[in-house]
Amino acid sequence: MHRFGGFVSMRTLQDQSKKPYEINISLFDAMKGTRRGEDHWQAQRFLCSQIIMLGMHRVFLLFQGLSQKRTEA
């Protein structure tokens, strides 16, 4: 994440060791590449991530709709 402009916040544990806590980076910047480095798939990778998130929201709405009880009119 550092290579793509991100910052990793660390937290200190009781034994004074440090552990990653959160990553501060925009999602679009995080999609610049993989562990191997930057590549030319950033826009496609970002669009794919958005499609997956929208799809997950639709699945949630489907299950929410199926779990509701019918009301008598």
Side-chain angles (χ1 to χ4, degrees), residues 3 10 14 19 21-22 27 29 40-41 43 48 55 57 66 73:
R3 289 184 286 178
M10 305 295 275
Q14 289 180 347
K19 183 176 181 179
Y21 181 68
E22 66 182 358
L27 183 58
D29 286 340
H40 65 281
W41 297 103
C48 184
H57 181 68
L66 292 174

Side-chain angles (χ1 to χ4, degrees), residues 2 4-5 7 12 40 45 49 54 70 72-73:
H2 289 285
F4 303 144
F7 177 77
T12 305
H40 65 281
R45 194 177 284 122
S49 73
L54 285 172
R70 293 183 61 177
E72 297 295 325

Side-chain angles (χ1 to χ4, degrees), residues 9-56:
S9 299
M10 305 295 275
R11 68 179 182 151
T12 305
L13 302 175
Q14 289 180 347
D15 63 357
Q16 300 305 313
S17 63
K18 299 213 181 260
K19 183 176 181 179
Y21 181 68
E22 66 182 358
I23 299 174
N24 297 303
I25 188 170
S26 72
L27 183 58
F28 188 73
D29 286 340
M31 299 290 150
K32 282 184 181 178
T34 65
R35 290 179 170 213
R36 296 181 186 141
E38 291 188 29
D39 56 25
H40 65 281
W41 297 103
Q42 180 180 13
Q44 293 88 341
R45 194 177 284 122
F46 178 76
L47 288 174
C48 184
S49 73
Q50 298 304 298
I51 290 168
I52 290 170
M53 284 190 246
L54 285 172
M56 291 174 67

